[in-house]
Amino acid sequence: MEYGGAQWGTGGQAELGRWVDVAQSGDGDGPDDAPSAAPRRPTRFLGTHHPRLDDKGRLFLPAKFRDQLADGLVITPGQERCLYVFPDADFDRIFSQLREASVLNRPNRDYQRMFMAKASAEVPDKQGRVIVNAELRAYAGLTKDCVVLGAGSRVEVWDSAAWEQYSAAQEGPFAELSEEVLQPLL
């Protein structure tokens, strides 16, 4: 199995294969499972933005993302040395599924440790800024100039130079994969 570029052996595949499929529905036993007037729209982040980190390690969230992240968010290490930013509710679903993975399986333990140990729960201030702690900034190589992009169900934060290099390297493969990936969807 592959998730975000990380390869998993057959031992971890059965346990972690489903955690990335974040379920929107409940088990039918709780008060949150009652039908509502309007179904909750899935989280959707789109676009590329170029904020800067201030001297205190704070990042301005793009205005388009602030409403979805206003109640809290979790910043985690991502793949390819970027950071992932999840709304609290989405992270809670990921966490619930990770908790169900067997700790007797080494790839599960390894991934959980790295993912959770570096995670940081934050609440944006009134100006839409969040603190990116020093450990996460170092992991992603963040300096002043950043790129914040919507990656569908999550936000990613990249060092500007690292994003330019990654993006340039992915242009060819993106064009080549478009037919394979999009054909079943269109």
Side-chain angles (χ1 to χ4, degrees), residues 2 6 10 16 56 80 84 86 93 131-132 134 138 142 163 182:
E2 182 174 332
T10 57
L16 287 175
K56 296 179 181 178
E80 292 83 39
Y84 291 164
F86 299 98
R93 284 189 288 278
I131 294 174
V132 180
L142 300 180
W163 171 250
L182 291 178

Side-chain angles (χ1 to χ4, degrees), residues 3 19 74-86 91 111-120 133 135-136 139-140 154-157:
Y3 174 66
W19 83 266
V74 178
I75 306 171
T76 70
Q79 304 300 318
E80 292 83 39
R81 292 293 202 184
C82 73
L83 301 178
Y84 291 164
V85 180
F86 299 98
F91 186 81
Y111 191 84
Q112 287 176 2
R113 282 182 187 131
M114 295 304 294
F115 191 71
M116 296 297 185
K118 295 182 180 186
S120 177
N133 68 43
E135 185 175 15
L136 287 168
Y139 171 84
R154 67 184 180 279
V155 173
E156 292 185 358
V157 181

Side-chain angles (χ1 to χ4, degrees), residues 8-166:
W8 290 98
T10 57
Q13 184 173 354
E15 294 293 331
L16 287 175
R18 298 185 52 124
W19 83 266
V20 296
D21 181 24
V22 179
Q24 293 283 333
S25 62
D27 60 7
D29 294 334
D32 293 335
D33 296 323
S36 62
R40 180 178 171 261
R41 182 177 186 180
T43 303
R44 182 174 64 189
F45 296 103
L46 305 171
T48 303
H49 310 273
H50 301 272
R52 299 186 82 189
L53 280 173
D54 69 13
D55 293 335
K56 296 179 181 178
R58 296 177 299 193
L59 181 73
F60 275 96
L61 295 171
K64 288 182 173 185
F65 299 166
R66 290 182 191 169
D67 286 345
Q68 295 179 81
L69 299 170
D71 293 333
L73 55 93
V74 178
I75 306 171
T76 70
Q79 304 300 318
E80 292 83 39
R81 292 293 202 184
C82 73
L83 301 178
Y84 291 164
V85 180
F86 299 98
D88 267 345
D90 290 356
F91 186 81
D92 288 346
R93 284 189 288 278
I94 293 168
F95 177 71
S96 293
Q97 291 177 341
L98 277 174
R99 280 180 47 174
E100 293 179 18
S102 173
V103 294
L104 299 177
N105 180 281
R106 186 178 182 111
N108 293 353
R109 287 192 313 269
D110 291 345
Y111 191 84
Q112 287 176 2
R113 282 182 187 131
M114 295 304 294
F115 191 71
M116 296 297 185
K118 295 182 180 186
S120 177
E122 302 292 336
V123 176
D125 67 14
K126 291 180 182 182
Q127 295 174 338
R129 298 175 300 190
V130 292
I131 294 174
V132 180
N133 68 43
E135 185 175 15
L136 287 168
R137 290 194 313 267
Y139 171 84
L142 300 180
T143 54
K144 285 272 187 204
D145 296 320
C146 297
V147 174
V148 175
L149 57 104
S153 63
R154 67 184 180 279
V155 173
E156 292 185 358
V157 181
W158 290 74
D159 172 72
S160 186
W163 171 250
E164 287 177 27
Q165 183 179 17
Y166 175 83

